[in-house]
Amino acid sequence: MSAPENGVEDLVEHTLAPGNFPEPPQRRTEPDTAPTSRLTVRVVWGDLTRVGADLHVTGHYQGIAPTAAERALDQKISVGKRQVIAEHNRRGWIDAKLGKVSYFPSYFPCQDGDPVVRSAAVVGMGRMGTFTERRAARLYESLLGELLTLGHVHKAVTVLIGSGAENLQVTRVARALIRGFETALKAAGGPQALNEVLIVEIDRLRAEKLHRALRNNSGDAQRYINVVDEVTDADGGGLKRMSAAVYAVTELARLARSVGPLEGGQGGDPASPGEALRIVLGGITNDILRGDIRRRLSDIADIDPTDIAISTHSSSGSEQAPLPVNVSVLQGEGGLRWAALAERATVPERNVRVDADLLHQLVDRLSDPTVDDARELPDLLSRLVVPIEFQWLVSDEAPVILEVDRSTATVPWEFLADIRQDVCSEQAPLAVRTPIARILRTEYSTADIVDVAEELREGTPPQALVIGDPGDPAKDLSLEKARNEARAVKDALRRNDVSVRALIGAPNSAQRLPDEEPATRIDVLRNIFSGQYNIVHYCGHGTFDESGPSGWLFSDGLLTAQELAQLSRPPRIVVANACYSAKVKPSATGVFKVADEFLRAGVVHYIGAAWQVPDDEAQIFADVLYQELFGGTSTVGDAVQAARRKAYDRSRDLNRRDAGPAEKAVPVDQHRGNAWAAYQHYGDPTDRICGPESH
């Protein structure tokens, strides 16, 4: 069953569905005379979510979790931590084709004097890496063309869609906006009910740049569009570090122009311009250099601040968590197709030609690798397959979200390395230093309506279902290690005030504890379908069949995602250690195969091991994961990273302990110590399962 044709808007109660609006008018030729009224376009310096309007609009890339303005808007209209736009994006319900508009209601009632967001919309920008000025013009034409048909929308507010993260220059997007708006207004014969569009910029300098670009490009479009003369101030406006530097330089330049020579006793008064400039240049003792700096500043004095660009960079010290770097890596003809979207830059699509056999060999070597391969091959992986333009984006300065397809999901991207010439070989792997997560590009088939506002009820502990060792001991499919891990997970969760129901051992197992119940498919499904569990943890055999169903092995059969298709309230997170036995050893594609099926059923996060993990390392990973999820304020990505870090540190300690004389310097188990890389996380690493307010 595919997602509804009308898109996400018809799945949410009270949403402004396109079907509720009149059909857009047929395009017609340009009228002979100008319309009697013009559309007012106003640049506003402020916070998008604090500017009142009938409709708030941002852009949305296909399959990319909301960031920046879209994320802020999502938080404004949603209840709790499970945000509506992010949830619908995850389920594949947002049609992000270029210019396609999807609508969302606000769950908050209007309050007196509070310009709350009444309703929100996202307009499709297509696939990440494909946005150009020509496509931007088409987006703005399509967006305004639809807004003109909404009789109840008189004022709309948006951001400069397409200019974020240095995707396109402000001047180019402004030109595209004017061209797109003009085309739509010509077709409609004027602004109709919509009479004003506000374009909000939170940074003052960008607001001024945008205003100037719109005025300069309005030209003949002034018959239809009136760009207001001045930037309008609103709540929430700020000044980024780069903009502050620009203003500081220009003011210093004007100061240099305004005062006479500094020599000869001028100044003395701390408030005088001469003394202020003397203080600024006082640290420069070389007279020639000081004079040259002053002359250069005088040259800058006549430059408009909007013509100046100053680049600054800081890798630490920010109180606000950095936005994730979204990287798309899909199978292309003869290689890999890459695109990237980060807070600091957007990189259009790049193709990397990679020999398929060579890549397959590299994947095999990095799947359950030896200690030497795990240390030496990640750098080769990154240099061989990652475009040069992308390598500087992959670092520990921000979480990394990799969009993969069925082909690229086989690559152990957790071994991805940041390419830095000055990094010593002893530095911890990238996935140990920053969250690395995956998003699987697939056509999710579920159409179940999820109550995105459902959260942990106040005063109610989180709920977890732990399933361990469900294989039939009579068929030699019982696993002591899986049973031990399930009990360790049960104890770890309870230590963090999580209510646990433990289904451990097959019905014919004689090794259950008093607080444990038999693990059968019926009992597992009954508990999962109750909708009360935030977490499901599975320890046991897993089967991974390329041509058939994959899932978890029970004494009474195989549990696959097919049985979970009717879930209306699926678990928030599934953790699976399902590869303990060589008898049922998974292929390299096993994790994403099962993850795909569970994500299809509506699970928000799937964490699985790509190869066999020793039981002691699996227990350490689970213990740290749940401590971080429920014992603090960690995001899921931070919790996975912390668990990887603990597993990595322990493996290094063990390897050092094993090292002795030269002839015994190599650990006995060549594959030990790579559990940190075996765990693959599918989901949004910035999501939170729990927080202090939930306890």
Side-chain angles (χ1 to χ4, degrees), residues 325-341:
V325 175
N326 289 276
V327 178
S328 174
V329 51
L330 309 174
Q331 184 67 40
E333 185 175 352
L336 303 177
R337 189 173 73 243
W338 292 77
L341 174 65

Side-chain angles (χ1 to χ4, degrees), residues 483 487 490-491 502 504 510-517:
R483 188 166 58 253
R487 287 170 177 162
K490 174 183 66 176
D491 295 340
I504 298 178
Q511 303 185 51
R512 271 190 305 279
L513 299 179
D515 64 340
E516 298 170 356
E517 306 171 50

Side-chain angles (χ1 to χ4, degrees), residues 43-208:
V43 177
V44 178
W45 176 43
D47 183 339
L48 173 71
T49 64
R50 297 168 67 179
V51 177
D54 300 312
L55 182 68
H56 286 63
V57 185
T58 64
H60 178 81
Y61 278 113
Q62 179 180 334
I64 300 301
T67 61
E70 185 184 9
R71 186 173 183 174
L73 189 60
D74 197 8
Q75 292 171 342
K76 189 69 174 179
I77 67 173
S78 303
V79 175
K81 298 180 290 296
R82 204 169 182 180
Q83 279 127 31
V84 61
I85 299 178
E87 183 76 7
H88 284 73
N89 170 73
R90 184 186 61 78
R91 283 180 166 262
W93 288 348
I94 298 179
D95 186 351
K97 294 185 182 69
L98 187 69
K100 173 68 176 177
V101 185
S102 299
Y103 298 89
F104 300 88
S106 172
Y107 284 89
F108 294 96
C110 293
Q111 303 173 11
D112 293 340
D114 182 14
V116 295
V117 179
R118 300 179 186 177
S119 60
V122 297
V123 56
M125 300 175 68
R127 196 174 64 246
M128 181 175 62
T130 63
F131 202 70
T132 63
E133 182 178 341
R134 182 185 297 273
R135 290 173 65 84
R138 289 171 53 195
L139 177 146
Y140 282 111
E141 177 188 353
S142 178
L143 172 62
L144 187 63
E146 180 156 335
L147 297 186
L148 292 173
T149 69
L150 308 183
H152 67 286
V153 175
H154 304 285
K155 180 190 293 186
V157 60
T158 184
V159 292
L160 191 62
I161 299 169
S163 67
E166 301 177 10
N167 187 12
L168 293 175
Q169 292 179 345
V170 170
T171 53
R172 296 182 64 188
V173 184
R175 186 166 57 213
L177 181 147
I178 293 292
R179 187 163 66 245
F181 274 17
E182 180 185 17
T183 303
L185 289 165
K186 285 180 180 179
Q192 310 297 321
L194 179 70
N195 52 54
E196 187 173 19
V197 174
L198 310 180
I199 308 173
V200 179
E201 282 289 350
I202 199 167
D203 179 71
R204 178 69 192 197
L205 183 58
R206 275 179 58 91
E208 291 183 355

Side-chain angles (χ1 to χ4, degrees), residues 322-493:
L323 295 176
V325 175
N326 289 276
V327 178
S328 174
V329 51
L330 309 174
Q331 184 67 40
E333 185 175 352
L336 303 177
R337 189 173 73 243
W338 292 77
L341 174 65
E343 186 176 13
R344 289 180 288 139
T346 296
V347 183
E349 284 192 342
R350 297 287 188 272
N351 291 311
V352 177
R353 299 190 66 83
V354 181
D355 181 87
D357 291 337
L358 181 62
L359 181 59
H360 182 71
Q361 293 172 26
L362 187 56
V363 169
D364 282 346
R365 291 274 295 272
L366 282 173
S367 298
D368 195 11
T370 65
V371 173
D372 290 339
D373 281 351
R375 181 177 61 251
E376 298 169 0
L377 293 183
D379 186 77
L380 175 62
L381 172 70
S382 300
R383 293 183 185 275
L384 183 66
V385 304
V386 180
I388 295 175
E389 302 96 320
F390 288 67
Q391 291 177 358
W392 70 277
L393 290 174
V394 179
S395 70
D396 58 4
E397 295 175 9
V400 178
I401 304 177
L402 290 156
E403 180 193 28
V404 296
D405 58 21
R406 294 180 180 277
S407 295
T408 57
T410 65
V411 179
W413 296 111
E414 289 66 29
F415 277 116
L416 200 65
D418 47 349
I419 307 299
R420 301 289 178 87
Q421 297 298 327
D422 58 342
V423 171
C424 65
S425 59
E426 292 300 316
Q427 188 173 30
L430 179 62
V432 170
R433 291 182 280 120
T434 197
I436 291 183
R438 301 165 170 230
I439 294 177
L440 187 62
R441 172 172 286 197
T442 185
E443 294 296 332
Y444 298 138
S445 63
T446 181
D448 299 315
I449 300 175
V450 175
D451 181 6
V452 296
E454 181 68 21
E455 289 292 329
L456 297 172
R457 295 180 178 85
E458 186 175 355
T460 302
Q463 306 285 308
L465 181 68
V466 176
I467 308 157
D469 187 26
D472 189 348
K475 298 178 181 178
D476 197 24
L477 291 175
S478 180
L479 295 169
E480 181 182 0
K481 293 179 179 179
R483 188 166 58 253
N484 292 340
E485 188 204 335
R487 287 170 177 162
V489 167
K490 174 183 66 176
D491 295 340
L493 287 167

Side-chain angles (χ1 to χ4, degrees), residues 290-320:
R290 184 170 58 182
D292 189 53
I293 290 174
R294 190 170 184 276
R295 284 191 296 274
R296 297 296 183 187
L297 287 174
S298 296
D299 294 339
I300 296 174
D302 293 329
I303 299 177
D304 190 305
T306 59
D307 287 326
I308 300 176
I310 295 178
S311 178
T312 63
H313 172 68
S314 175
S315 59
S316 62
S318 175
E319 296 182 359
Q320 187 174 5

